[in-house]
Amino acid sequence: MNGAEALAQGLRSAGLDTVFANPGTSEMHLVGALAAVPGMRLVPGLFEGVLSGAADGHARLTGRPAGLLLHLGPGLANATANLHNASRAGSPVVSIVGEHRSSLLPFDPPLASDIEAIARPYAGWIRRLERPEEAAEAARAAVAAALGTPARHAVLIVPADVAWGEAGLPDTGGGPLAPRVDPVPDARIELMADMLRTGGHAAALLLGGTLLDGRGSLLAGRIAAATGCRVLSETFPTAQRRGAGLPYLERLPYFPAEVLQTLDGVRSLVLAGAREPVAFFGYPGRPDRLVPEGCGVDRLCGPGEDGHAALEALAGLLGAGSADPVLLPEQRPLRPEGRLTVDAVGQAIGSLLPENAIVVDEAITSGAPCYRFTVQAPAHDWLSLTGGSLGFGLPAALGAAVAAPGRKVLALVGDGSALYTNQALWSLARTGADVVVVVFANRAYRILQLEYANMGLGSPAPAAQDLMRLDTPDLDFVSLARGFGILAARADEAGEFTRILERALAEPGPFLIETVV
Amino acid sequence: MNGAEALAQGLRSAGLDTVFANPGTSEMHLVGALAAVPGMRLVPGLFEGVLSGAADGHARLTGRPAGLLLHLGPGLANATANLHNASRAGSPVVSIVGEHRSSLLPFDPPLASDIEAIARPYAGWIRRLERPEEAAEAARAAVAAALGTPARHAVLIVPADVAWGEAGLPDTGGGPLAPRVDPVPDARIELMADMLRTGGHAAALLLGGTLLDGRGSLLAGRIAAATGCRVLSETFPTAQRRGAGLPYLERLPYFPAEVLQTLDGVRSLVLAGAREPVAFFGYPGRPDRLVPEGCGVDRLCGPGEDGHAALEALAGLLGAGSADPVLLPEQRPLRPEGRLTVDAVGQAIGSLLPENAIVVDEAITSGAPCYRFTVQAPAHDWLSLTGGSLGFGLPAALGAAVAAPGRKVLALVGDGSALYTNQALWSLARTGADVVVVVFANRAYRILQLEYANMGLGSPAPAAQDLMRLDTPDLDFVSLARGFGILAARADEAGEFTRILERALAEPGPFLIETVV
């Protein structure tokens, strides 16, 4: 077998079964080999940022890495912005990056680049293959590295001559690799128990990362029931299980003043998988750290640690193991009629969201009502933009749909954010992904219009305004979606939007709704 | 004045008058300042790869850097793939990259990243501003660095507190900066004269880089007339002046076997601004270096050197200063009728290309006939994909149109390549750019279908084929273009294509034609 075949079999044996791929000439042997491995799914994308966002979405739902097949340094560079988001989400990802054959590199051909340097900002593990014989072992090592503590992006650079060279008959067995976590030291758990026991209503548990799954939230709800502490969630959850049958978690807002208002009165903040609240951006004369003065901040657990076991132990120490958490009953908002506002879109979604749906939220300024109106919808998962790098929503919806067949995916995207990786629409069509896309077409980078004022800059000059407006000409998302082969419709009125959404949710396959809000 | 204002004025005083921009919250003061500088043009883009490709196109026509305004590390990362192409083209570019205020960075907010590390693979100069007082000087230094020897990508990282901080009244004068080149040593020119004098018909002058402008080509034509040497052009010219009234240059082909065939019989190859011919990709059992055995290779000049002066001196030494080069007379192909093939598209373009047009060629497998059928068209400039990183064509056409108002731009793009940075279509619409886009819709990554076979892999399995096909569903470029606010039409027949092209060339503003070939 050749190096590419050994690599492909090594990846598969380690449990990697999905590769989002955009190969070039230097990856042709890898394509041939990956296509030949039983149980390996190849998903094509027309731009590499689509692939990396999809891998992030896939990882958030499965806890396992998907692979990326990328063409040399520029292919990896195109994937980078969504690798930033994946890195902030703690998602495991394995990138297979082709490289020129070794003998060609000294001639510095046009597509040569320093792949390691391009990988470094967002890779926790990088290995360049030297010989085909090591390909199978290296593939397993890459998956193991991605599943390490903490989970990370692992990059395997594969020169073409390693891919086509003879690898012998390497051992490609060994069984799938599982995610790893380190235990949280008992002393730390005991300290946090003291904090929450003495803090009462002035203590708060801030959940984040993997602890926002149902299990973590229920444990936190028990602790709250036993101690009276508040339970909060981080602003941009990686994947939050929420809705009816789960405890209510107060979400930290985005703007600094609102975060401080939310945390007012908290004297002791315990971080469980979340980071200390800080400003997303700095503003002249306003604070960076968003914790009330005099409030203590302590960490129960962070990335790569077994937060679930720690929360369970914490609940035990607090006598909360059998406490009854307050669980939200199912309650849906009424179907909206009349003017189509972001609130109306939120109500419509809240009134219709299917059981066990997956919501991917990159709606930026338009997303808050959707989150609010689904708080008591049937239980679902909510994925958000962890790293702030735009272009996450559509790709992550693709990855979620590939990861969770049979579940409906709802992608909420701003018109600005959707454009960064709009090519994902074609991959949705190609794979028949069960995704309903709702585009909030406010014809602007609305967040920038708000932030320009927040910076104290007053009203922007026309040349500055031009950089924040998406009109002149208006984008037509229905036309764009059809260009990519997706059914689409536009809604201008709330009742109309609700009817279109209802139909889209009832039909399998992708559908895009442009809402002019 | 604040740091952002000092920076903006410094850039403008150094001669930078165009900034392709996609800012975020951390760049709001920069937006305000750049918008307020007289004579500074801000061009919005919906994805940063559009901006960097536009800056490359702009630089190729003006010889001067355009600016990029980018949002933190991920914004820079999105610009990277086209910075690869710009770097291979030797295009000067100045990136202004926002950064969080210094006091926020220790808290590692969600959008924090190692901007220097992201910049490093494609930056020849990087500077992080520490104080507002240095902003004006640093801006001029960045433009000077971009115009250095060789020209390069210069990156200025601007923390938000430097942008909004008080800069005092810095000196922002000093006048525009000019590109710099180093002289070529006389001894080298004399050696090359010997080579060409003794080589006769077995000698060849391979032109590349800036020497493919009309002046360089005419000098090479004189030398050929005096010595009998052959004159060739590199495979992917940065910006070639060509057509009627200029000498014919034989273009080196793309595939290795054809390059070797073209160079058959050459015993002495003199490189003038071009690099030694090497394979674009390696193939099992085939050579990397594409120079006939026994052929000597010598370099007259490379990037950052004054190749024009060197060619002039060379012509003088060879007594070619007043030789008459063979110049191509204008001759257009007939307007095609019948089946729409890539040849027919080439004929139509050759029959209609306006005087002094700018052609941007990213048509990959479909581009060769267009190049061939325009060889005797009225003089025009031909920009090609120097670095092989897809997504150059539409952005570069935007940059060319902004750089050269009054000239018609023709963008030739493959369906696959166009998709990488399709958002450029909106910027074309917003700016009313005088660009006709011809999309070759072969519904495939055709080059990969060829290369898979070239690698000796035979016929791809269905899962491998799936990665090379752009059908299922078909992309509809007319619909995509309309979604971005651009007029568009589809042509299925050669006469129809010719009529649509004729009308599109006659009207100002952007127009897209999808050719189903």
Side-chain angles (χ1 to χ4, degrees), chain B residues 211-271:
Chain B
L211 294 185
L212 287 171
D213 66 347
R215 198 178 142 213
S217 310
L218 282 168
L219 286 166
R222 289 207 177 92
I223 290 169
T227 68
C229 77
R230 288 168 65 188
V231 183
L232 304 160
S233 88
E234 61 188 350
T235 312
F236 295 110
T238 297
Q240 182 182 0
R241 187 74 184 168
R242 63 194 288 271
L246 288 152
Y248 175 68
L249 308 187
E250 238 178 311
R251 184 194 199 183
L252 279 190
Y254 172 79
F255 286 113
E258 296 170 16
V259 175
L260 285 169
Q261 204 173 352
T262 300
L263 292 178
D264 192 37
V266 176
R267 309 292 302 163
S268 173
L269 185 66
V270 174
L271 307 174

Side-chain angles (χ1 to χ4, degrees), chain A residues 84 88 101 103 108 110 112-113 122 275 283 286 288 419 423 426 430 466 469 471-473 476 479 483, chain B residues 22 84 88 101 103 108 110 112-113 122 275 286 288 419-420 423 426 430 466 469 471-473 476 479 483:
Chain A
H84 170 89
R88 291 284 166 174
R101 86 155 134 201
S103 63
D108 192 29
S113 60
Y122 293 107
R275 301 164 60 104
Y283 304 84
R286 295 200 228 149
D288 296 314
L419 260 294
Q423 308 91 339
W426 181 81
R430 167 64 79 89
D466 271 355
R469 293 166 54 173
D471 54 5
T472 338
D476 174 347
S479 204
Chain B
N22 188 329
H84 171 89
R88 291 285 165 173
R101 87 156 132 201
S103 63
D108 192 29
S113 61
Y122 293 107
R275 300 164 60 105
R286 294 198 229 152
D288 295 314
L419 260 294
Y420 283 76
Q423 307 91 339
W426 181 80
R430 166 64 78 91
D466 272 354
R469 292 166 54 172
D471 54 5
T472 339
D476 174 347
S479 202

Side-chain angles (χ1 to χ4, degrees), chain A residues 262-287:
Chain A
T262 301
L263 292 179
D264 191 38
V266 175
R267 309 293 301 163
S268 173
L269 185 65
V270 174
L271 307 174
R275 301 164 60 104
E276 184 178 27
V278 298
F280 211 92
F281 293 106
Y283 304 84
R286 295 200 228 149

Side-chain angles (χ1 to χ4, degrees), chain B residues 400-426:
Chain B
V402 169
R407 296 178 64 183
K408 201 83 192 180
V409 179
L410 183 65
L412 311 174
V413 291
D415 46 4
S417 59
L419 260 294
Y420 283 76
T421 47
N422 63 77
Q423 307 91 339
L425 293 172
W426 181 80

Side-chain angles (χ1 to χ4, degrees), chain A residues 341-403:
Chain A
T341 60
V342 291
D343 272 356
V345 173
Q347 282 173 56
I349 289 170
S351 73
L352 293 170
L353 192 72
E355 174 89 38
N356 207 22
I358 299 161
V359 180
V360 178
D361 174 10
E362 197 189 27
I364 318 294
T365 51
S366 304
C370 297
Y371 190 86
R372 199 166 65 240
F373 283 112
T374 49
V375 73
Q376 290 177 252
H380 57 276
D381 288 298
W382 194 278
L383 279 55
S384 58
L385 178 61
T386 52
S389 176
L390 297 184
F392 159 79
L394 298 176
L398 168 68
V402 169

Side-chain angles (χ1 to χ4, degrees), chain B residues 242 248 251 258 331-334 336 340-353 359 361-377 380 382 410 412 438 440 442 446 450 497 515 517:
Chain B
R242 63 194 288 271
Y248 175 68
R251 184 194 199 183
E258 296 170 16
Q331 192 180 331
R332 290 179 179 274
L334 294 176
L340 189 61
T341 59
V342 290
D343 273 355
V345 173
Q347 283 173 55
I349 289 170
S351 73
L352 293 170
L353 192 71
V359 181
D361 175 11
E362 197 189 26
I364 319 293
T365 52
S366 303
C370 297
Y371 191 86
R372 199 167 64 241
F373 283 113
T374 49
V375 72
Q376 290 176 254
H380 58 276
W382 194 278
L410 183 65
L412 311 174
V438 176
F440 292 87
N442 57 23
R446 180 66 47 81
L450 300 172
F497 171 72
T515 67
V517 290

